[in-house]
Amino acid sequence: MGWRLLRRRQAHPSAQTAVRYLMGRGFIEIRATTHIVRRELQGGEELSSPLSRIDRIRMIADICHNLPGDFRPGSDRERERRAVESLRFHLRKLEPDDHGAQWVRTELDDLGYDYLPLLPEDVRARLMQQ
């Protein structure tokens, strides 16, 4: 692979790269959060904090649950299409109170993935007004 192709890929990650990134970040956050929950439960703290952390773990697990299926056998084009559809599904509403979509958006922003073309027109227009 030439350096130009590598540089272009780093500047514009594919949907497959974005999905891999979400899975990796999700697994890391779930694992780290379980340690915090365990410590809070052992410390006898109030249950509201561990329960809210468990809800966050469940939210991330729900998001990541079907993502590995995007990489099942098929052509690279087919895997990319499945990854795009997964991202489109998770970003379909992007409401401020949709914590799952906001988590996906934050992670994709950290990666530098341009998800705006995947958004429905009304959601894209709302984001442009903010």
Side-chain angles (χ1 to χ4, degrees):
M1 175 184 309
W3 67 271
R4 288 182 187 175
L5 181 58
L6 180 61
R7 184 174 177 180
R8 189 176 68 207
R9 280 190 177 179
Q10 290 173 344
H12 304 288
S14 69
Q16 291 177 71
T17 299
V19 167
R20 283 186 193 98
Y21 186 80
L22 288 176
M23 289 187 305
R25 297 287 295 206
F27 299 152
I28 290 167
E29 187 168 339
I30 288 169
R31 183 160 184 142
T33 305
T34 58
H35 290 288
I36 295 169
V37 168
R38 171 179 261 163
R39 193 172 48 230
E40 288 174 343
L41 290 174
Q42 288 174 341
E45 295 184 26
E46 184 181 319
L47 286 180
S48 62
S49 180
L51 290 177
S52 69
R53 292 185 197 280
I54 290 169
D55 286 341
R56 183 167 176 86
I57 289 169
R58 290 179 60 106
M59 175 202 67
I60 295 169
D62 287 345
I63 291 167
C64 294
H65 176 78
N66 289 320
L67 295 180
D70 294 346
F71 301 103
R72 60 185 188 268
S75 69
D76 191 51
R77 177 180 280 178
E78 181 64 21
R79 288 189 300 274
E80 183 70 9
R81 185 194 63 74
R82 288 190 296 251
V84 165
E85 289 305 313
S86 288
L87 296 174
R88 189 172 280 141
F89 174 79
H90 288 297
L91 295 168
R92 68 191 177 282
K93 295 178 187 166
L94 209 54
E95 297 290 336
D97 61 341
D98 183 348
H99 300 292
Q102 292 300 329
W103 181 83
V104 170
R105 178 185 184 186
T106 300
E107 296 303 326
L108 294 178
D109 284 343
D110 287 349
L111 175 63
Y113 182 79
D114 181 15
Y115 52 83
L116 288 177
L118 304 179
L119 300 176
E121 188 60 40
D122 61 319
V123 174
R124 194 175 322 141
R126 184 171 30 99
L127 288 178
M128 296 300 192
Q129 292 175 353
Q130 293 178 349

